[in-house]
Structures are given as structure tokens and as C-alpha cells.
Amino acid sequence: MSTQDWLSQLQKQRAIAVIRAPQIELGLQMALAVASGGMQLIEITWSSDRPGELIAQLREQLPECTIGTGTLFNLQQLEEAIACGAEFLFTPHVDPDMIKASVIKNIPIIPGALTPTEIVSAWAYGASCVKIFPVQAVGGADYIKSLQGPLGHIPLIPTGGVTLENAKGLIQAGAIAVGLGGELFPQQLVKEENWPAIAQLAKDLIQELA
């Protein structure tokens, strides 16, 4: 997928569901729930149970969705993720070799950064956008807004402390999209396997950001 296609998907969807699944079956249900609520960008963290299998399964079952992965720490994990069919890649850090490897394969990579120096470095290495993590710990929407002056040309995706309540404020502050994990999958609802309630949270979020 070209960077342009990826950016237009982000502008259309505005939110990425981040799934950390202790069991593959649970991960599948979580993904199906948010997809039924209208979310089309789904990240399966590489720390999930059998992430490669889950990504391959979801690509088959949810052809209308774009399935990627995150929490990739090294080149080996990145190559495994690409081989399993991951369509976008998130890393918690800026690694020039990982960025270059994904650029060669034409797969969007979104490295994690926090300071202006890290953000500009990631962009210079060829990142398609930059993940701002953990955004709430450094001021949330105010921090995103303050980056817009000098760095407005770099698409930013804040994660870490993004909630259903503050997601819209982050978009209004200049973020191209946001990533949400725990907020979309409250532990109690997952424990009860209350998938309709999770689908409703996803639907509410998409409507809020539309």
C-alpha cells in the first residue's frame, strides 16, 4: 500500500483499534466486534498470542479492513509481520533500519517518538507518519497543537492515554488519527464477552470523529 493510500485511509477513518490479545480466539472476537461497529483499521500487537496467525485470519475474514501490527522491536519481528500479511507497522521507537526495510517493501511504518528531534528523525528516515506516545503524559491535545507550528507537515498519530472522550480533541489539535486500545476493550466487557457493547463503543467513536 502506498503512503498516499494509507494517509487517505487515516483521514477517512481517524481511529485505529489496538488489540493485545492473550489468546488468539479472544483477539479474533475483539477484532470482529470493532469491525462490526464500523472500524476498518485494526492493529494486532506483536505481543499478542500467535499474532501472525491472527493477522492472516483477520485478513481473510475482514477483507474490508486494513490489518496491521505494532510493538515491533527489531528487524526480525518486522520481517515476520510482513510475511504474515501485516498491512501497516507500528514500532515503539525510531529505528532507521526498520524504517528503511518497510519503505523498500512499500508498507507504511509508524515509529513511536515523543520529542521534536525524534519526530523529525523518524520522518527523515522515511516514516509514513509518526506515532506520538505516550501522548497524555506530555499534555495530550495541547502537546499535539504545539507541535503543529514547526512540524505541521508531519502526520501524527497519538496513542497512550487516548480515550473516547479526548479522541476528538486530539484530531482537532492536528492529529491525522488516534490509536486506542484499552478504552475500546474495557476488561469487564471482554471478560463477559459482551461483543455488542464493544461494537457500540467503536460505532460511537467513529461517529464522534466523523
Side-chain angles (χ1 to χ4, degrees):
M1 172 173 32
S2 75
T3 297
Q4 215 36 60
D5 289 345
W6 168 240
L7 293 176
S8 63
Q9 277 199 38
L10 288 172
Q11 269 160 340
K12 194 171 133 204
Q13 279 282 310
R14 296 295 193 185
I16 300 162
V18 181
I19 294 174
R20 274 186 184 79
Q23 294 99 27
I24 189 171
E25 301 77 17
L26 205 57
L28 183 64
Q29 292 303 324
M30 290 163 83
L32 293 174
V34 289
S36 74
M39 292 189 80
Q40 291 183 1
L41 299 174
I42 299 172
E43 173 195 329
I44 303 299
T45 63
W46 203 247
S47 49
S48 295
D49 176 40
R50 293 181 280 163
E53 250 179 86
L54 182 52
I55 290 163
Q57 223 173 326
L58 289 173
R59 285 211 48 190
E60 205 171 291
Q61 288 197 30
L62 297 172
E64 73 285 3
C65 293
T66 303
I67 312 294
T69 190
T71 325
L72 296 169
F73 281 99
N74 54 50
L75 266 176
Q76 188 190 336
Q77 290 179 339
L78 180 127
E79 275 152 17
E80 284 171 20
I82 292 171
C84 297
E87 297 175 274
F88 59 85
L89 312 163
F90 275 83
T91 67
H93 62 310
V94 178
D95 181 320
D97 293 333
M98 290 174 77
I99 296 171
K100 283 169 193 160
S102 64
V103 169
I104 289 166
K105 298 255 169 74
N106 205 25
I107 294 176
I109 186 163
I110 308 92
L114 199 53
T115 66
T117 300
E118 291 169 345
I119 295 164
V120 172
S121 298
W123 182 248
Y125 291 132
S128 63
C129 352
V130 180
K131 171 172 97 161
I132 306 300
F133 170 84
V135 74
Q136 278 313 104
V138 292
D142 286 343
Y143 186 60
I144 296 297
K145 197 173 181 179
S146 64
L147 291 171
Q148 291 308 302
L151 306 179
H153 59 294
I154 301 176
L156 304 177
I157 303 179
T159 72
V162 179
T163 66
L164 301 171
E165 292 73 35
N166 68 21
K168 190 175 186 174
L170 287 159
I171 298 291
Q172 287 170 339
I176 190 169
V178 293
L180 294 91
E183 278 287 313
L184 277 174
F185 304 103
Q187 279 179 335
Q188 196 54 37
L189 294 183
V190 174
K191 202 174 163 186
E192 293 163 2
E193 300 196 4
N194 188 344
W195 308 124
I198 288 173
Q200 188 60 51
L201 289 176
K203 193 176 180 183
D204 293 347
L205 174 68
I206 290 291
Q207 284 173 344
E208 179 71 14
L209 299 181

